[in-house]
Amino acid sequence: MFDQTMKTAAEAAMTQMKQAIQGFAAAPATFPVPPAMRDFAARGAESAKAGFAEAEAATRKAAAGAETLITAFAGAGADLARSAVAGAVANATMTMDAVQTVLGAPNLQDALQRQGEFMKAFGEANLARAEEALARARDVAAEGVRTIQAEAQAFAGSRAA
């Protein structure tokens, strides 16, 4: 008898629950959404849009920084290539002038002296060009590091906010 009473009570509870679920399922369009839930959803959507806009802005800024860095490296590479060509032309010109100067020497001793002067000038000119190229490369690299650091700090700052 106790078992039968429990079974009847459980069936009654289940029937009521089924009816409630069927009532919700039968008329979902007429079920009113509370205004607080709508406001919460709207605020969440606006917050997500704002977060996405901030992330997009940070990404665009990082991309611009990377573009600036790449452009600087490409410009420096082109500048170094131009300098190398100019150095090669200068070396060829110096060599041809030295040949004329050495051949115009009145004696062997003077020719050797002129050859020695040419070698010294040639070495000094190439050393100066190499030092200048290294200084430019160092400056570009340092600027690149500063740009990367600034972009990383800006990105980290935007992520912390």
Side-chain angles (χ1 to χ4, degrees):
M1 180 140 147
F2 180 75
D3 291 340
Q4 184 61 32
T5 305
M6 291 302 285
K7 185 178 178 183
T8 305
E11 287 176 357
M14 289 300 290
T15 302
Q16 288 176 351
M17 192 175 289
K18 286 180 186 177
Q19 288 173 349
I21 291 171
Q22 288 172 350
F24 284 127
T30 60
F31 184 70
V33 176
M37 187 177 282
R38 287 179 198 225
D39 290 344
F40 177 76
R43 283 192 308 270
E46 289 300 318
S47 177
K49 284 181 185 178
F52 178 75
E54 288 176 12
E56 180 184 16
T59 301
R60 288 185 187 276
K61 187 175 179 184
E67 181 180 345
T68 300
L69 180 62
I70 290 168
T71 301
F73 280 132
D79 187 42
L80 289 173
R82 283 190 295 275
S83 293
V85 169
V89 169
N91 284 344
T93 303
M94 279 180 84
T95 303
M96 286 184 276
D97 290 345
V99 168
Q100 288 178 339
T101 302
V102 170
L103 290 176
N107 56 43
L108 182 60
Q109 184 177 2
D110 193 37
L112 290 174
Q113 183 180 355
R114 290 178 183 188
Q115 176 66 23
E117 290 170 357
F118 160 73
M119 294 300 288
K120 180 180 177 189
F122 187 83
E124 288 172 349
N126 282 306
L127 182 61
R129 276 194 290 275
E131 287 174 347
E132 182 182 336
L134 287 173
R136 275 189 302 217
R138 188 174 37 250
D139 291 344
V140 169
E143 181 61 30
V145 167
R146 284 192 294 273
T147 301
I148 290 170
Q149 286 173 339
E151 292 301 321
Q153 287 174 347
F155 183 72
S158 69
R159 299 294 297 162

